Amino acid sequence: MNLFECIILGITSLRRNPLRTSLTILGIIVGVGSVVSMVSVGDGSRSMVLREIERTGGTKMVEIYKDDWDRQSGTLSRAAGEAVRGRSRWRRNRAEHLETEDAFEILKSARGIVNVVAEDDMPGWSVSFKGRKKESRIVASTAGYDRSYNWFTSSGRFFNADEVEAASSVAVIGSKIAEEVFLNEDPVGKEIKASRPSYWRGRSGLYEVRLKVIGVMEEKGDAMDTTGWDDRFIIPITTLQERFKGRNDVERIRVEAVDVDTIPLAIADAKQILGRIHNNTGEEYNYWTAQEELATADKVGLVMKALMGGIAGIALMVAGIGVMNIMLVSVTDRTQEIGLRKALGATFNDIITQFLIEASVLTLLGGVLGSILGVFMGQGTAALISKFVWEDSNWPSVISFETMFIALIVSVAIGVFFGLYPAHKAAKLTPVEALRTD
């Protein structure tokens, strides 16, 4: 008997008991569907983080900032700092604050970079125009902020380097400010009043500044990392420093590398430049990269896939036991048929091949249907996460054809593994004892 005849015979045998066959396939469907869906949801975590990174600047960004407690004083060497941290003693970071000129020097001297932006922000502001008022947040930066955050103007323009150098009283506003404060009017060219409460020696007052609107930023939406972006307005950082702060320190510096491969070179040069300017090692500042965020997402996804995959693996194991059970029942029901076939010349290999093919066809069909079901289960699970667990996250479900293929291979392997004992039991029957069975 050739392989094709064995397959036809195996399928015919399965069709004799459709209910029993369907219930056995159902276990495989649930197990494989669970594996495919959980992997798709786990891979979705990385896809979601990558999507947010691209929306807020891209994977080539490096963010430099000073953490007041995470690092040791700039007067300490790295070895001394490690020794202090090793004793679990925390000290305030006495390194100098980052300044606007640091960004300009990094742009001028560092290798492997294409854009550098110094920025600061200040909450508690409100914007008003013709009596209409909206709570807002001020963001101050150098030119190139729009490129750094992949966030461009929908009308008007962004301020340039000359306006930053001149500390011009100009502003670019978010889409919600344009919508709620200006209503149907075009904001470009209009003058807004930005104000913020102030307290000095027990007396309350009000900071006020008039700014000319030169542009409106495109809508980003209140989702994930861009929550609140449409409510802010952006001004030159020198305007904030000269008119309100009275000093040149900045909150952070964002560096855009040529590509991901040049990020280590850009960070090394930035450390050297900052160390030279501020008379420290440059290690006193934190250097965040998008790759760190992606690595964290990979770990989260791996944990999710491991936990859920373990549960799905148990489901597959139970399904495999069901396959073994159905095959043992099939052997019992068809003992006389096996004896007759062996009396007519069927060999040990013919019988074992027939039952293994039956098990393989059973699990392969379950694997195909389970993979299709897993796609919809993954999308449904991602939708539930976005609605009830992490609202407005739009958690994606990443369909991996590689995972689906592996799931099919595993399902067939389960059929072979769990069908091996029943097939061997059937094949070793002698014609005489098989035909004598009632």
Side-chain angles (χ1 to χ4, degrees):
M1 182 181 297
N2 59 37
L3 181 62
F4 180 74
E5 291 175 334
C6 287
I7 293 175
I8 296 299
L9 186 58
I11 294 174
T12 303
S13 300
L14 293 174
R15 291 177 61 184
R16 293 174 184 170
N17 297 284
L19 180 60
R20 190 168 63 187
T21 301
S22 300
L23 291 175
T24 306
I25 290 177
L26 182 61
I28 298 294
I29 291 174
V30 172
V32 172
S34 300
V35 171
V36 173
S37 63
M38 291 304 102
V39 170
S40 67
V41 171
D43 288 342
S45 64
R46 189 181 196 280
S47 178
M48 181 181 64
V49 171
L50 183 59
R51 179 191 65 199
E52 290 302 308
I53 289 173
E54 291 296 337
R55 290 180 68 229
T56 57
T59 56
K60 299 181 293 183
M61 301 307 302
V62 179
E63 193 164 287
I64 308 172
Y65 60 96
K66 176 191 171 185
D67 192 319
D68 287 342
W69 293 99
D70 189 44
R71 304 274 181 170
Q72 296 300 318
S73 167
T75 59
L76 290 176
S77 66
R78 180 184 296 183
E82 292 295 336
V84 171
R85 286 192 289 274
R87 294 194 297 269
S88 301
R89 291 173 55 191
W90 290 80
R91 295 182 182 179
R92 183 177 293 277
N93 184 356
R94 298 185 181 87
E96 296 176 353
H97 289 284
L98 296 170
E99 297 184 351
T100 309
E101 292 299 324
D102 297 341
F104 296 146
E105 187 61 29
I106 291 174
L107 180 61
K108 175 184 175 182
S109 304
R111 295 168 293 173
I113 63 172
V114 294
N115 186 41
V116 180
V117 173
E119 60 178 289
D120 207 337
D121 58 82
M122 189 180 293
W125 287 80
S126 62
V127 175
S128 60
F129 176 77
K130 290 185 178 180
R132 295 184 291 270
K133 195 173 184 180
K134 179 173 176 56
E135 299 302 314
S136 182
R137 182 186 191 95
I138 193 172
V139 174
S141 77
T142 53
Y145 174 91
D146 50 348
R147 170 174 176 161
S148 178
Y149 282 94
N150 196 24
W151 188 29
F152 301 96
T153 55
S154 59
S155 63
R157 63 177 179 84
F158 205 82
F159 51 79
N160 54 42
D162 292 335
E163 289 166 322
V164 173
E165 184 177 358
S168 301
S169 297
V170 296
V172 184
I173 62 175
S175 61
K176 282 190 177 180
I177 296 178
E179 179 183 348
E180 298 180 21
V181 175
F182 288 90
L183 300 181
N184 296 322
E185 294 188 50
D186 183 7
V188 178
K190 304 292 194 309
E191 188 178 78
I192 58 172
K193 182 171 69 173
S195 57
R196 181 175 185 266
S198 64
Y199 301 93
W200 178 253
R201 295 182 179 179
R203 297 181 180 181
S204 60
L206 194 68
Y207 284 126
E208 287 188 345
V209 60
R210 294 188 177 275
L211 302 166
K212 179 182 178 182
V213 178
I214 60 172
V216 179
M217 303 301 288
E218 62 187 6
E219 183 178 357
K220 273 291 187 178
D222 286 331
M224 304 292 288
D225 293 340
T226 59
T227 300
W229 282 29
D230 295 330
D231 294 318
R232 61 179 58 172
F233 64 101
I234 310 161
I235 66 173
I237 197 164
T238 47
T239 305
L240 178 71
Q241 292 169 342
E242 292 183 10
R243 303 193 64 169
F244 300 107
K245 293 182 65 174
R247 59 184 189 273
N248 294 328
D249 61 285
V250 298
E251 186 71 22
R252 68 192 70 86
I253 295 175
R254 281 176 65 90
V255 177
E256 181 183 352
V258 174
D259 51 46
V260 174
D261 293 334
T262 58
I263 286 178
L265 177 63
I267 292 177
D269 283 2
K271 287 181 180 180
Q272 185 178 15
I273 292 167
L274 293 176
R276 172 170 50 81
I277 294 175
H278 296 286
N279 194 29
N280 55 36
T281 66
E283 298 284 349
E284 293 72 27
Y285 305 103
N286 291 349
Y287 301 82
W288 174 90
T289 67
Q291 301 304 311
E292 297 177 10
E293 199 82 8
L294 288 174
T296 301
D298 286 340
K299 291 179 182 178
V300 172
L302 184 61
V303 170
M304 288 184 62
K305 288 189 286 187
L307 292 176
M308 301 302 180
I311 297 174
I314 294 174
L316 281 175
M317 183 68 69
V318 173
I321 295 173
V323 170
M324 179 182 289
N325 181 59
I326 193 68
M327 297 308 298
L328 286 172
V329 172
S330 180
V331 170
T332 303
D333 290 345
R334 295 158 59 190
T335 302
Q336 289 189 343
E337 174 193 329
I338 295 169
L340 181 61
R341 288 188 60 207
K342 297 195 78 172
L344 293 174
T347 65
F348 178 90
N349 289 336
D350 289 336
I351 301 300
I352 200 170
T353 300
Q354 176 189 343
F355 280 90
L356 286 180
I357 286 177
E358 287 185 25
S360 299
V361 169
L362 196 70
T363 51
L364 178 61
L365 181 59
V368 172
L369 295 177
S371 296
I372 297 173
L373 177 64
V375 172
F376 295 101
M377 288 174 61
Q379 293 174 344
T381 303
L384 291 174
I385 292 174
S386 301
K387 185 173 181 62
F388 298 108
V389 180
W390 195 343
E391 293 186 10
D392 299 323
S393 64
N394 294 321
W395 192 292
S397 174
V398 179
I399 306 304
S400 172
F401 292 101
E402 180 182 356
T403 301
M404 294 174 68
F405 178 74
I406 293 174
L408 289 177
I409 298 298
V410 170
S411 64
V412 173
I414 287 175
V416 173
F417 179 79
F418 284 95
L420 189 60
Y421 174 74
H424 186 270
K425 181 179 179 180
K428 72 178 183 178
L429 288 173
T430 64
V432 174
E433 63 182 356
L435 290 172
R436 283 179 176 175
T437 305
D438 293 331

